[in-house]
């Protein structure tokens, strides 16, 4: 990539609080959306943010930023330190390579495809975990959800679940590559991330070999081993390994954050818990939701999911590069400008969501129209819209359904222990790890 000239760089302001060497990294870690909101108010919708160690990105936080995800002049561009995580998966590709992989993998994640078949697996895993939580005095919400969602995605993909903790540790190490700290000496983030990727990829190749040999019947690994794109071209082994690594990562890290925040909201907002209980009491014999379409009969559960996603989005930034000069907010954006958008910031845009700091289910209840592109920005947009969207919807609905059913039968309510948690933004958005929830007698 060509470097920007000083004139181009200086034509836009820089967000306040930039530190030498580490840039805005500390404030991004603890308050990324707050930094973007304050910068927009003070500087307008275009400003530079230093991700740390000279990794500068021009953030555009205008309400029309979502349109850039469909613009042909704006392409996928992960910073160098993230490329070791995404590899050659769809998350790091555009154009023909992306279309090849996407068309081959899409059928497995359609509402009529593998996502539907996975619903029973998700429900049974949730039910078993909820029973286990009921036996505990309290539990750490986000770590519990991270192990739970990893187990779910393992069962869906056909990965043995006996060693979930080891895989969880490996993915946490892999995610250290999010931090743009230069150097690969032993013990440094990039070194540990590379080592974890090698560990993960070695096991994924063994699973793929098993599937190609006739094992792992019915699993996602087997499906991908047989997948063909629109022109009948199969995926290479490296394509499958890269995409499985990304699917396993996205399928548990982001979902764990969403589900953890749902439980936290139910535990600290009695009016929300009461509304969910009333919805369940109105149809106590209803079946477990097995598809995203069940949101129509569970408007409260769906509203809780949507409002949690708006306020506590796991994905706070999307990186792109401008391949041809474009205009944003009346300003010329030169070719090769490293650009960034923030799905999380959309949820706090008062022109889209009045009084955005208020948790309000009425934003979503009784709506006749489905969520639009801005409301779904957490799942990306354009050709890179998240494959796992339907699975994420099913997980959110099933967790709430099974949790409220189990607690009402046991005469219990969820209770947040200690102060309300903060939303931490690295490596992805999530509640603080020490947050604990207990189930108490009504």
């Amino acid at each position: 990539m060509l470097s920007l000239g000083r004139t181009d760089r200086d034509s836009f302001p820089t967000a306040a609080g930039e530190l030498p060497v580490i840039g805005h990294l500390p404030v991004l870690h603890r308050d990324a959306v707050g930094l973007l909101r304050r910068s927009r108010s003070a500087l307008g919708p275009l400003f530079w943010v230093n991700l740390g160690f000279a990794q500068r990105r021009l953030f555009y936080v205008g309400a029309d930023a979502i349109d850039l995800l469909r613009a042909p002049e704006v392409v996928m561009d992960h910073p160098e330190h993230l490329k070791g995580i995404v590899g050659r998966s769809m998350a790091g590709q555009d154009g023909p390579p992306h279309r090849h992989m996407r068309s081959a993998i899409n059928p497995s994640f359609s509402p009529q495809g593998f996502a539907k078949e996975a619903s029973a697996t998700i429900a049974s895993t949730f039910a078993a975990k909820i029973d286990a939580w009921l036996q505990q005095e309290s539990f750490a919400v986000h770590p519990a959800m991270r192990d739970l969602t990893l187990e779910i995605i393992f069962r869906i993909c056909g990965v043995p679940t006996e060693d979930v903790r080891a895989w969880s540790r490996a993915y946490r190490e892999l995610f250290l590559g999010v931090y743009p700290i230069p150097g690969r000496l032993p013990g440094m983030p990039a070194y540990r991330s590379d080592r974890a990727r090698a560990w993960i990829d070695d096991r994924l190749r063994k699973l793929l070999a098993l599937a190609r040999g006739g094992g792992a019947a019915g699993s996602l690994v087997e499906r991908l081993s047989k997948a063909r794109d629109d022109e009948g071209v199969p995926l290479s082994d490296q394509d499958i390994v890269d995409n499985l690594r990304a699917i396993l990562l996205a399928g548990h890290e982001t979902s764990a954050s969403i589900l953890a925040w749902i439980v936290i909201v139910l535990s600290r907002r009695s009016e929300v818990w009461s509304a969910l209980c009333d919805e369940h009491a109105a149809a106590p014999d209803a079946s477990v939701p097995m598809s995203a379409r069940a949101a129509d009969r569970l408007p409260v559960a769906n509203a809780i999911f949507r409002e949690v996603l708006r306020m506590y989005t796991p994905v706070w930034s999307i990186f792109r590069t401008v391949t041809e000069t474009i205009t944003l907010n009346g300003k010329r954006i030169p070719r090769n400008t490293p650009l960034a958008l923030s799905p999380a910031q959309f949820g706090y845009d008062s022109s889209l969501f009045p009084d955005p700091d208020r948790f309000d289910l009425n934003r979503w209840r009784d709506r006749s129209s489905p969520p639009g592109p801005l409301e779904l920005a957490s799942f990306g947009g354009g050709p890179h819209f998240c494959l796992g969207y339907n699975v994420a919807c099913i997980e959110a609905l099933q967790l709430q359904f099974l949790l409220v059913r189990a607690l009402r039968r046991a005469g219990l309510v969820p209770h947040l222990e200690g102060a309300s948690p903060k939303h931490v933004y690295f490596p992805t958005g999530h509640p603080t790890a020490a947050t604990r929830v207990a189930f108490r007698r009504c």
Side-chain angles (χ1 to χ4, degrees):
M1 177 184 298
L2 298 175
S3 62
L4 289 178
R6 175 57 58 184
T7 301
D8 291 332
R9 189 179 297 281
D10 290 348
S11 62
F12 303 102
T14 296
E18 181 180 14
L19 299 173
V21 183
I22 58 176
H24 295 101
L25 185 57
V27 68
L28 290 174
H29 186 281
R30 66 178 184 270
D31 190 23
V33 172
L35 174 67
L36 299 181
R37 293 176 72 185
R38 292 189 297 273
S39 299
R40 180 180 184 179
S41 177
L43 306 173
L46 277 164
F47 48 85
W48 289 101
V49 171
N50 184 347
L51 304 178
F53 302 92
Q55 295 285 332
R56 294 170 62 86
R57 287 273 161 173
L58 183 64
F59 268 78
Y60 181 54
V61 294
D64 60 343
I66 192 70
D67 298 335
L68 295 178
L69 297 180
R70 295 181 178 274
E73 307 88 355
V74 180
V75 300
M76 180 70 68
D77 174 44
H78 289 292
E80 196 64 35
H81 63 280
L82 294 182
K83 292 179 180 177
I85 297 175
V86 300
R88 293 179 58 252
S89 69
M90 291 182 296
Q93 303 292 323
D94 270 309
H98 180 267
R99 287 193 294 273
H100 161 62
M101 287 184 276
R102 182 83 185 203
S103 65
I105 297 173
N106 253 345
S108 293
F109 286 87
S110 70
Q112 298 78 28
F114 195 57
K116 180 178 179 180
E117 298 175 21
S119 297
T121 298
I122 297 171
S124 63
T125 308
F126 274 144
K129 289 297 182 183
I130 290 170
D131 286 345
W133 296 337
L134 291 175
Q135 307 307 313
Q136 300 176 33
E137 183 174 336
S138 66
F139 64 100
V141 185
H142 185 243
M145 293 301 170
R146 193 167 52 207
D147 288 348
L148 168 60
T149 52
L150 188 58
E151 181 176 340
I152 287 172
I153 198 67
F154 272 23
R155 292 186 185 279
I156 291 173
C157 291
V159 179
T161 60
E162 293 83 6
D163 207 13
V164 167
R165 291 295 176 89
W167 280 84
S168 183
R169 287 193 299 272
Y171 266 108
R172 290 199 296 276
E173 290 281 296
L174 176 70
F175 237 9
L176 290 174
V178 167
Y179 295 94
I181 300 172
R184 279 180 159 75
L185 295 174
M188 297 184 71
Y191 174 89
R192 292 166 63 182
S193 181
D194 290 346
R195 184 175 60 180
R197 172 176 168 167
W199 187 95
I200 292 167
D201 287 3
D202 177 65
R203 281 150 183 80
L204 291 177
R205 289 190 183 94
K206 290 176 181 177
L207 287 169
L208 178 57
L210 178 66
R212 291 205 187 280
S219 70
L220 181 62
V221 176
E222 185 210 27
R223 285 173 176 257
L224 296 185
S225 72
K226 298 177 180 178
R228 300 290 187 275
D229 69 8
D230 290 339
E231 297 179 358
V233 179
L235 297 169
S236 70
D237 282 8
Q238 191 60 50
D239 287 342
I240 295 173
V241 168
D242 279 328
N243 281 287
L244 276 173
R245 185 194 326 108
I247 288 167
L248 289 172
L249 176 62
H252 85 277
E253 282 289 347
T254 55
S255 293
S257 175
I258 295 168
L259 299 181
W261 273 113
I262 286 175
V263 173
I264 291 167
V265 166
L266 294 175
S267 302
R268 73 177 181 181
R269 295 182 178 273
S270 59
E271 75 283 4
V272 177
W273 174 252
S274 295
L276 187 64
C277 288
D278 290 345
E279 180 169 84
H280 185 268
D285 298 322
S287 59
V288 177
M290 301 300 280
S291 77
R293 291 188 297 273
D296 293 339
R297 66 176 173 87
L298 297 169
V300 174
N302 184 54
I304 293 170
F305 168 50
R306 299 293 171 188
E307 190 68 345
V308 162
L309 195 60
R310 180 189 71 81
M311 294 192 73
Y312 307 109
T313 300
V315 180
W316 71 270
S317 61
I318 297 176
F319 300 119
R320 294 290 189 269
T321 286
V322 178
T323 60
E324 300 293 339
T325 299
I326 62 172
T327 300
L328 294 176
N329 197 48
K331 300 290 183 65
R332 175 181 173 273
I333 311 299
R335 176 174 175 265
N336 292 318
T337 299
L339 201 63
L341 320 175
S342 176
Q345 190 272 337
F346 293 136
Y348 287 91
D349 188 328
S350 59
S351 67
L352 303 170
F353 300 99
D355 195 4
D357 293 297
R358 186 182 79 250
F359 191 93
D360 185 1
L361 297 185
N362 291 326
R363 302 182 201 275
W364 311 98
R365 293 170 70 170
D366 304 321
R367 278 183 48 155
S368 58
S369 59
L374 276 172
E375 296 157 340
L376 294 174
S378 300
F379 294 96
H384 286 276
F385 187 76
C386 179
L387 277 173
Y389 172 68
N390 287 296
V391 173
C393 293
I394 293 167
E395 287 180 333
L397 295 175
Q398 285 192 357
L399 173 67
Q400 293 179 78
F401 183 95
L402 293 168
L403 184 63
V404 72
R405 186 176 71 179
L407 295 190
R408 290 185 73 241
R409 287 176 176 173
L412 300 171
V413 295
H415 175 77
L416 182 66
E417 294 192 333
S420 296
K422 295 184 179 297
H423 193 60
V424 181
Y425 289 89
F426 270 76
T428 56
H430 63 278
T432 45
T435 307
R436 300 187 70 84
V437 164
F439 300 135
R440 296 183 177 177
R441 291 290 170 191
C442 299

